[in-house]
Amino acid sequence: MTALAQELDVKLKHWPKATRQRVQVLVADIIRLADENALDIQQSRDVEQEVLDIIDEPVPRRRMAG
């Protein structure tokens, strides 16, 4: 077992149930994406979402001098 797998195993035993479940889902998703050679596609989608989030942010109002 790798050091990363060992650390994850230890952490899963100590985290609250909700945290354990969420981490397990995320790790399973990463394994699935890696098996499908799709990690680079997911990263592109993440960047795209970040850009969309920035575009959707409200524009601060400028104060007029005077």
Side-chain angles (χ1 to χ4, degrees):
M1 186 182 302
T2 68
L4 180 59
Q6 289 174 343
E7 182 178 359
L8 179 59
D9 188 53
V10 169
K11 297 286 188 178
L12 286 172
K13 293 174 185 170
H14 296 336
W15 285 330
K17 183 178 180 179
T19 302
R20 278 193 315 266
Q21 290 173 334
R22 183 68 181 135
V23 169
Q24 288 170 332
V25 167
L26 291 170
V27 170
D29 286 345
I30 291 169
I31 291 169
R32 180 184 52 77
L33 289 168
D35 285 345
E36 297 171 0
N37 292 320
L39 285 173
D40 57 338
I41 294 169
Q42 183 61 40
Q43 289 173 347
S44 296
R45 288 183 181 157
D46 291 342
V47 170
E48 179 182 349
Q49 186 59 54
E50 286 179 34
V51 170
L52 292 173
D53 291 344
I54 290 169
I55 291 170
D56 288 342
E57 287 181 3
V59 177
R61 291 187 173 186
R62 299 173 97 187
R63 296 183 84 183
M64 298 195 54

